[in-house]
Amino acid sequence: MEGLLSLAIFLPLAGAVAVAIIRQEKFSKLLSLAISVVVFLITLYLFLNFDWNRSGFQFVSKYDWVPSLGISYHVGLDGMAVSLLLMTALIFVVAFLWSLKVEDRPNLYFALFLALETACLGVFSALDFFLFYLFWEGMLIPMYFIIGLWGHDRKVYAANKFFVYTFFGSIFLLLGIASLVVYAYLMTGKLSFDYTFHLGFSYPVLFQLVVFLLFGLGFAVKVPMWPVHTWLPDAHVEAPTAGSVVLAAVLLKMGTFGFVRYSLPLFPEASKYYIPLIFFLSLVAIIYTAMMAIAQTHIKRLIAYSSISHMGVVTLGTFAFDLNALNGAIYMMVAHGLSSAALFMSAGFIYDRIHSYHMDDLGGLARYVPKLAVMFMLSGLAGIGFPGLAGFVAEFLVFLGTYKNFPLWAFIAGSGVVLSAAYFLYMYKRVMFEEETLSEYRLEKWRHLKDLELHHMLSFILIIVSAFLLGLYPYPFVKIMEQTSKYVLGG
C-alpha cells in the first residue's frame, strides 16, 4: 500500500512523457483520461483505508535521495492531505473530461495537464522540504504555458503576471526553508530537509516571528490573500476553462494547505502573535473582494473575486485556534474546490457557445440551455453555502469555532455570506433570466444554442454529487480532517 501513493503521484508524469513521445491526438486524450481515472481510484482507495484514529502520517515512503545534504524522497498523508489528494484527483478527471474536444495542439495541452497533476499531488504528499519545494515550483511551469498558450486575448500578460507573483512568493518560501535547515544544523550538527525531523524543534520566539513571515508571504501569494491577490482575476479571465478549474480548485488550496501543514505546527507562538494581522487580512478579503464581485459584469472575473472571498474564510478558520474552526477551514478547501470548479465550467460553457463572458451580451439563457441553467444554479448554491451542500458544513464549522474565541471577528466575517448570495443571484439573474435588453437577433441566435453534451454533463455530475455527499453526510470527512486538526492544535 505504501507504493500506491508514489504510483498516484508519478503515473501522470509517465503519461505526460508518453503523450509527448507518441503525439497522436486520440491516444493523448484517451490516455490522459484513463490515467486520471486510475489516479482517482488509487486516491479513493487510500482515502477509504485511512485510519482517522491513528495520529501522524500514513502510507509513508521514505528513501535517501541526496544523503550528504539530508535530502530524501519522503511522502505520506494525514487527514488533510488525503482529503485534498482525493479532491485533486477528481478535479483532474473533470478537467480531462471537459477537454475531450480540444483541437488546438491537444498533445501538448494534455501533456502539460498531466505534468501539472503530478506537481499538485506531490505538493500535498511531500514530507521533505526540498521535495515539497520542487513540486511547488514545478507546478508553475505547466500552468504558465496553459494560460499563455490556450488563454484568451491578454493571455501572455496574465501568464506573466501569474508567474511573477507566485515566483516572487516562492523566493521567500525558499528563504524560510533555508532558515529552518540552517538553524537545525547549527543546533544539532545534522543537515536535514525532513519535515518530521524539524517538527521536533522548539524554535525561539524571535526566530519564529521572522520565519513565519517568510513562509507566510509565500503561502499568502498562492491563496491569494489581500493585497497580493491581483494576479488571480487576470489569470482566471484569460485562462482556458480547464485551466481555471484546476487553478481555483487545486492551486489556491496549496497556500492554505501550507499554513496548516507548516506555519501552525512549526511556528505556534508566531501563529498566535500574528492572529490580528491574519484576521484583518482575512476580513478585508471576505468583505472587499465580495463587494468587488458585486461590481463586476464579467462573469469569470466575478467568480474569481468570489474565490478570494471564500479563501478568506479558510484563513480565518485556520488561525482561530479552535478544533471546529480548523476542521471547517480544511473542509472549506475541499468544498470550495468543488463549487469553484463547477462555476468556472459553467462560465466556460457559456463562452464556448456565445463567445462572451460579459453580462451585457447575455440573458435569457435558461429557456434555451435548461440543463446548464440547473447545473449553474446548483454550482452557485454550493458556492454560497446552501444547506445540504458542502459549503454549508464548512462555513458553519468555521464560524462556530471562530465565534467561541473571537465573536466580533466572526460576526463581521459572517456578512460575507450575505454578500456571496447577493453577487451570485445577481449574476444568475442577469445571465439566465433577463431577456428584455436583448435584441431580436440575439434571441434568434439563442434558439440555436446547443445544451450540455455528455462529457459536460458527466463533469458536472461528478462535482455536484460530491458536493451533495459532503453536505448531506459530512461525518466521515470531518473525522478524517480532524485527525490533522487535533495534531496541529496539540489535541
Side-chain angles (χ1 to χ4, degrees):
M1 191 179 293
E2 294 176 359
L4 283 178
L5 177 56
S6 297
L7 178 63
I9 295 171
F10 291 105
L11 187 59
L13 185 61
V17 173
V19 167
I21 292 173
I22 297 176
R23 291 186 291 178
Q24 203 281 330
E25 179 178 340
K26 188 174 181 180
F27 171 82
S28 299
K29 293 179 178 180
L30 293 179
L31 179 68
S32 300
L33 181 58
I35 286 177
S36 67
V37 171
V38 170
V39 171
F40 172 72
L41 293 175
I42 293 173
T43 57
L44 179 61
Y45 179 81
L46 295 175
F47 183 86
L48 294 175
N49 285 275
F50 187 87
D51 184 0
W52 66 59
N53 293 313
R54 282 177 50 197
S55 62
F57 295 95
Q58 301 174 32
F59 316 117
V60 175
S61 296
K62 185 176 182 181
Y63 307 99
D64 288 338
W65 187 6
V66 188
S68 59
L69 296 178
I71 298 172
S72 61
Y73 172 78
H74 190 188
V75 294
L77 301 174
D78 62 356
M80 173 178 62
V82 76
S83 303
L84 290 173
L85 208 73
L86 180 61
M87 186 267 291
T88 300
L90 175 65
I91 292 299
F92 273 95
V93 172
V94 169
F96 287 124
L97 261 177
W98 192 270
S99 304
L100 284 178
K101 293 195 174 182
V102 167
E103 297 177 355
D104 180 18
R105 292 162 291 186
N107 299 315
L108 179 59
Y109 179 92
F110 284 93
L112 288 171
F113 268 100
L114 286 168
L116 180 61
E117 183 172 10
T118 285
C120 294
L121 296 173
V123 165
F124 296 133
S125 306
L127 295 178
D128 179 275
F129 282 114
F130 183 86
L131 186 65
F132 167 76
Y133 192 78
L134 195 65
F135 285 126
W136 180 277
E137 287 294 272
M139 170 277 306
L140 293 179
I141 300 171
M143 183 54 76
Y144 172 82
F145 286 111
I146 288 168
I147 297 173
L149 294 178
W150 288 273
H152 301 299
D153 298 337
R154 301 173 71 235
K155 57 189 178 184
V156 175
Y157 166 77
N160 287 336
K161 191 172 183 179
F162 160 76
F163 190 90
V164 169
Y165 264 77
T166 50
F167 189 71
F168 171 79
S170 297
I171 292 173
F172 290 93
L173 177 60
L174 180 61
L175 290 173
I177 292 173
S179 300
L180 289 182
V181 173
V182 170
Y183 178 85
Y185 176 74
L186 293 176
M187 293 295 101
T188 66
K190 181 179 179 180
L191 192 62
S192 176
F193 283 80
D194 188 79
Y195 170 70
T196 55
F197 171 76
H198 289 274
L199 281 177
F201 282 87
S202 179
Y203 299 103
V205 174
L206 181 60
F207 180 82
Q208 287 190 38
L209 293 175
V210 174
V211 181
F212 178 95
L213 290 178
L214 296 176
F215 273 79
L217 187 55
F219 298 145
V221 172
K222 191 62 68 71
V223 171
M225 297 178 70
W226 183 88
V228 289
H229 67 286
T230 57
W231 64 269
L232 185 65
D234 290 322
H236 271 311
V237 166
E238 304 304 331
T241 301
S244 287
V245 166
V246 174
L247 179 60
V250 181
L251 268 63
L252 303 191
K253 309 308 177 289
M254 293 179 182
T256 49
F257 169 84
F259 278 123
V260 179
R261 166 70 81 245
Y262 299 102
S263 299
L264 291 181
L266 290 172
F267 319 116
E269 298 304 320
S271 297
K272 294 176 183 177
Y273 179 85
Y274 286 116
I275 284 177
L277 174 62
I278 299 294
F279 275 19
F280 172 75
L281 296 179
S282 299
L283 287 186
V284 172
I286 294 170
I287 307 299
Y288 168 73
T289 56
M291 296 176 69
M292 286 292 292
I294 294 175
Q296 303 304 312
T297 59
H298 189 293
I299 58 176
K300 223 179 178 190
R301 191 174 289 272
L302 185 153
I303 299 169
Y305 276 113
S306 77
S307 290
I308 302 170
S309 180
H310 281 91
M311 296 311 291
V313 176
V314 178
T315 52
L316 181 78
T318 299
F319 286 88
F321 278 86
D322 177 86
L323 184 65
N324 285 323
L326 187 53
N327 286 340
I330 299 172
Y331 214 90
M332 178 65 87
M333 295 184 207
V334 177
H336 176 263
L338 298 173
S339 62
S340 62
L343 286 170
F344 279 114
M345 284 155 51
S346 301
F349 180 84
I350 291 171
Y351 183 85
D352 289 341
R353 293 294 188 260
I354 300 174
H355 307 295
S356 176
Y357 288 117
H358 292 278
M359 296 183 198
D360 295 337
D361 298 329
L362 307 172
L365 292 177
R367 178 183 299 182
Y368 307 103
V369 282
K371 294 178 184 176
L372 172 69
V374 172
M375 293 302 173
F376 195 8
M377 173 56 77
L378 292 174
S379 305
L381 293 178
I384 65 177
F386 192 79
L389 290 158
F392 173 77
V393 178
E395 290 180 353
F396 178 81
L397 289 173
V398 168
F399 292 126
L400 174 66
T402 305
Y403 187 80
K404 290 181 183 178
N405 300 321
F406 308 97
L408 179 60
W409 294 98
F411 180 79
I412 298 173
S415 63
V417 176
V418 179
L419 292 174
S420 67
Y423 60 66
F424 170 70
L425 294 175
Y426 163 73
M427 174 180 64
Y428 193 83
K429 176 177 176 289
R430 288 284 306 273
V431 172
M432 289 295 163
F433 294 127
E434 289 188 1
E435 294 187 25
E436 56 272 15
T437 60
L438 294 176
S439 65
E440 286 298 323
Y441 167 77
R442 287 193 181 277
L443 289 176
E444 180 62 28
K445 186 178 179 182
W446 279 198
R447 291 188 183 98
H448 298 89
L449 290 176
K450 190 176 182 180
D451 208 344
L452 297 176
E453 300 175 57
L454 178 61
H455 67 287
H456 296 132
M457 282 298 297
L458 289 175
S459 300
F460 273 115
I461 288 171
L462 286 171
I463 296 293
I464 299 301
V465 168
S466 299
F468 271 111
L469 178 62
L470 269 73
L472 295 173
Y473 188 53
Y475 177 77
F477 302 97
V478 173
K479 289 297 291 183
I480 286 178
M481 296 170 187
E482 192 174 69
Q483 189 255 10
T484 296
S485 302
K486 286 182 176 179
Y487 175 78
V488 168
L489 297 178

